Amino acid sequence: MEYKKTERGIEIKIGKCFDLKNTFDCGQCFRWNENADGSFSGIVGEKYAKVFRDGDFVVIQNATESDYKNIWENYFDLETCYDDIRKEIVLLDSRLECAVESIDGIRLLNQNAWEALCSFIISQNNNIPRIKGIVERLCENFGDKIENGYTFPSAERIAKLSVDDLAPLRAGFRARYIIDASRKVLSGEIDIEKMHTADMEECRKDLMKITGVGAKVAECTLLYGFHRLEAFPVDVWIKKALATFFNGISPENLGQYAGIAQQYIFHYSRLNPELVQAK
DNA sequence: TCCCAGGCTCTCT
DNA sequence: AGAGAGCATGGG
């Protein structure tokens, strides 16, 4: 992706292929927040970042060229052409055209796998504002202090804790799931490294060894934590959507980009809830 | 106040 | 193997 280093930071010339609000608010991540001026702030790994749009450019404030190469290019998946994928999705199923045409620039972030696993464990039977609150308290209590915030605590760090230690998170029944996940990742019972490429069915089965990880959370972890674009998480919104407005669409027909199609279905349904109400 | 939230576990048929 | 209650907590 074409970019330049300026006094503001790194400026990526990306046009409409990266919409910050749609990307950060489409339910894939929980640590980006919109500021009053329309910019977004978040923490990725050990880095705090503020990003905003200026015309055809997305600006990553204060980023250096090595930050860009080492972190942001991969995190924002900037070497992938999402315009091509959008076209491909519509070719695979033309019923997706309205969602794809009305939502600009969703990108699928390359998030840390452990963070995604943990975040989506927390997401179950929960609402997004509260999920973000629990994740933030997890970081504040057990992450490392960095500029403007805290890192996401490692599995190793969490594995040393007890369920009671997690009380400040107010995560409810999910606390023991978080502990179980951390210990299974740390012990190697769940081999988190191989899941970028291993057989999908095997990955699902492995992830579901964790108490509190069912089909939906496993699928979200594969899509958002391991960038397995063929993963297709089915939650209550997707269920409603596929039973009403998007009736007839099935993930098997969406091939290698099912997960990105799912993003569009999910986000479009949440933006237009009246379209997916059961009749 | 009440309903419900990007589900899952546990129990009972 | 399939269905349903219960789950912690708090946002709207």
Side-chain angles (χ1 to χ4, degrees):
Chain A
M1 185 62 66
E2 192 183 334
Y3 69 95
K4 59 186 180 186
K5 173 79 181 90
T6 69
E7 71 284 351
R8 295 197 292 185
I10 291 291
E11 310 200 14
I12 307 153
K13 185 167 185 176
I14 196 166
K16 289 177 66 180
C17 298
F18 188 2
D19 184 283
L20 296 174
K21 194 172 180 57
N22 286 339
T23 296
F24 295 136
D25 286 351
C26 70
Q28 65 175 320
C29 56
F30 302 101
R31 297 205 72 197
W32 286 93
N33 293 299
E34 188 168 10
N35 302 306
D37 63 2
S39 66
F40 285 81
S41 295
I43 289 172
V44 175
E46 317 254 307
K47 281 280 180 192
Y48 164 84
K50 185 167 180 177
V51 300
F52 59 90
R53 173 160 289 276
D54 184 6
D56 275 346
F57 293 87
V58 164
V59 183
I60 309 174
Q61 205 170 62
N62 297 330
T64 65
E65 197 157 356
S66 85
D67 290 339
Y68 178 77
K69 275 295 172 191
N70 294 327
I71 303 169
W72 305 115
E73 184 177 75
N74 176 254
Y75 181 76
F76 292 125
D77 203 17
L78 293 168
E79 293 298 288
T80 301
C81 179
Y82 278 77
D83 256 359
D84 288 349
I85 296 177
R86 287 156 61 101
K87 286 175 194 152
E88 178 75 20
I89 289 171
V90 174
L91 284 178
L92 287 168
D93 198 319
S94 61
R95 285 168 289 198
L96 289 166
E97 189 167 6
C98 56
V100 170
E101 290 305 314
S102 70
I103 300 172
D104 280 331
I106 294 185
R107 306 188 72 77
L108 209 132
L109 303 171
N110 277 297
Q111 302 183 69
N112 174 269
W114 160 248
E115 178 173 341
L117 168 60
C118 211
S119 299
F120 281 94
I121 285 174
I122 292 167
S123 79
Q124 66 186 86
N125 199 19
N126 215 338
N127 57 57
I128 289 178
R130 218 174 82 80
I131 297 164
K132 292 176 87 166
I134 295 170
V135 169
E136 225 33 56
R137 289 190 289 279
L138 177 64
C139 297
E140 284 164 10
N141 280 278
F142 305 110
D144 296 327
K145 180 82 184 85
I146 58 168
E147 179 204 5
N148 294 324
Y150 297 85
T151 63
F152 195 95
S154 65
E156 189 173 7
R157 174 82 178 96
I158 302 298
K160 292 176 185 156
L161 304 173
S162 68
V163 172
D164 287 343
D165 291 329
L166 296 189
L169 309 188
R170 301 195 297 281
F173 60 86
R174 306 165 192 86
R176 74 182 178 100
Y177 302 164
I178 297 169
I179 299 287
D180 188 60
S182 72
R183 292 181 182 168
K184 282 181 176 144
V185 167
L186 186 63
S187 72
E189 187 174 347
I190 309 293
D191 186 353
I192 210 159
E193 289 313 315
K194 73 175 185 193
M195 294 199 191
H196 284 99
T197 51
D199 173 72
M200 284 290 281
E201 275 311 317
E202 194 181 324
C203 292
R204 290 183 178 107
K205 214 175 84 196
D206 270 9
L207 287 166
M208 287 170 65
K209 287 180 188 167
I210 298 167
T211 311
V213 175
K216 157 66 170 54
V217 172
E219 210 69 7
C220 282
T221 304
L222 287 165
L223 182 57
Y224 303 123
F226 295 100
H227 211 73
R228 300 297 297 262
L229 302 186
E230 69 270 47
F232 191 89
V234 177
D235 73 320
V236 288
W237 284 95
I238 297 293
K239 261 181 210 154
K240 281 193 286 187
L242 297 187
T244 57
F245 190 75
F246 292 100
N247 186 25
I249 292 180
S250 80
E252 295 81 56
N253 301 329
L254 298 171
Q256 60 176 328
Y257 298 128
I260 294 180
Q262 184 269 3
Q263 294 269 87
Y264 279 100
I265 298 170
F266 178 77
H267 198 48
Y268 186 78
S269 300
R270 285 175 50 92
L271 291 173
N272 304 281
E274 71 284 356
L275 295 180
V276 299
Q277 295 309 313
K279 282 170 253 173

